[in-house]
Amino acid sequence: MKKYAFVTGGSRGIGLGISKCLAAAGYQIAINGVRDESQVADAINELKSFGGDVLYCQGNIGLESDRLAIVTKIKENFGRLDVLVNNAGVAPKQRLDILETTNESYDHVMDINLKGTFFLTQSIAKLMLSTPDRNDQNPGCIINISSVSANTASINRGEYCMSKAGMSMMTALFATRLAAEGIGVYEVRPGLITTDMTSGAREKYDKLIAEGLTLQPRWGLPEDVGKVVVSMASGQLAYSTGQVVMVDGGLSIPRL
């Protein structure tokens, strides 16, 4: 039986790395992004090269109308969903000290990273629960991609940190609600991952990594996150719902 996965923000960076790992594991993939489909053709073709179906669901998950359209498109094309990966997220457009953070920036980050993700998960969970042939071997799985920023303070992007901390509670809430239904809910916290979003800080963190910021002296790769997601999606952590897995090369380990 075919297995279907949906990765928000799946056309670039960590999301694309996750999508490739899931496609390689045999999943039919739906990805989401705000760009026009023609602008993500390379990503779509790369995912198709693994041999499965690929569905592009354009839209901003921070908007209720777009979320409805996305879920409707998945229902119409796949009929079901086995894995949801909440990866889509934005950073503040401008990094400001928390004493200067604006309402506009706060709302922009929270609407996508937390509010939109929460209500999308609500809709997808209902879809999973309504799937007629859902069973113990294929119960469904939800994976939230947060960040080491969930518990590491950065005072020049406080709204981002709070959105990721909120996602951690969201993980606990959905894990609690869906455990009796057999649906596992997990959180992955990446650290320094090589993507286009982190390219501007490359020189800064190259130096810090060389000085011992991470125990493993390298940047993480999107595929490092993707491999963890596949293990969760495939049921390898079946008795660990609600748990957090760090993918940060040891960055978060307290040291003297």
Side-chain angles (χ1 to χ4, degrees):
M1 186 173 72
K2 287 185 176 181
K3 299 176 293 182
Y4 298 92
F6 175 40
V7 183
T8 67
S11 66
R12 65 198 302 176
I14 292 175
L16 181 56
I18 293 170
S19 298
K20 288 193 290 186
C21 287
L22 286 167
Y27 285 86
Q28 317 304 306
I29 302 293
I31 61 173
N32 149 260
V34 296
R35 293 179 291 172
D36 185 80
E37 185 166 350
S38 63
Q39 295 178 291
V40 298
D42 288 346
I44 292 172
N45 289 334
E46 186 173 11
L47 292 172
K48 285 181 177 179
S49 71
F50 291 96
D53 299 329
V54 180
L55 179 69
Y56 184 63
C57 302
Q58 184 181 5
N60 177 356
I61 66 165
L63 299 176
E64 183 178 6
S65 58
D66 284 14
R67 291 193 300 271
L68 176 60
I70 289 166
V71 175
T72 299
K73 189 170 185 177
I74 289 171
K75 286 180 181 178
E76 291 176 347
N77 286 269
F78 286 171
R80 63 178 295 136
L81 200 65
D82 303 295
V83 178
L84 168 64
V85 182
N86 286 311
N87 168 77
V90 295
K93 293 179 181 179
Q94 182 181 7
R95 290 193 176 198
L96 296 173
D97 185 281
I98 57 173
L99 298 183
E100 305 298 332
T101 301
T102 65
N103 280 273
E104 180 185 10
S105 180
Y106 182 94
D107 289 344
H108 173 66
V109 171
M110 286 291 187
D111 282 352
I112 295 172
N113 294 12
L114 191 55
K115 181 181 177 181
T117 297
F118 175 87
F119 285 105
L120 177 67
T121 302
Q122 182 187 76
S123 296
I124 294 297
K126 290 178 180 179
L127 173 60
M128 288 179 174
L129 292 174
S130 67
T131 302
D133 58 348
R134 195 173 67 88
N135 53 51
D136 291 342
Q137 284 70 48
N138 202 30
C141 177
I142 297 169
I143 302 165
N144 297 321
I145 310 300
S146 66
S147 167
V148 292
S149 295
N151 64 355
T152 302
S154 297
I155 60 171
N156 64 350
R157 52 180 188 141
E159 59 269 57
Y160 181 81
C161 295
M162 287 189 288
S163 73
K164 295 303 184 180
M167 178 179 268
S168 292
M169 176 50 70
M170 191 189 95
T171 300
L173 289 167
F174 276 103
T176 302
R177 174 61 180 84
L178 298 173
E181 307 289 349
I183 296 175
V185 184
Y186 309 95
E187 180 184 348
V188 180
R189 289 186 190 170
L192 299 173
I193 307 296
T194 299
T195 68
D196 56 345
M197 290 182 68
T198 58
S199 61
R202 182 81 195 194
E203 185 176 350
K204 171 187 175 181
Y205 285 108
D206 279 347
K207 183 175 184 295
L208 290 173
I209 290 171
E211 293 171 351
L213 177 65
T214 56
L215 296 180
Q216 294 174 264
R218 68 171 177 87
W219 283 77
L221 302 173
E223 289 75 13
D224 290 321
V225 182
K227 291 172 184 177
V228 173
V229 167
V230 170
S231 70
M232 293 171 169
S234 62
Q236 299 303 305
L237 280 73
Y239 197 55
S240 299
T241 193
Q243 295 305 301
V244 178
V245 175
M246 311 299 295
V247 184
D248 67 356
L251 182 152
S252 58
I253 295 177
R255 288 165 279 165
L256 292 174

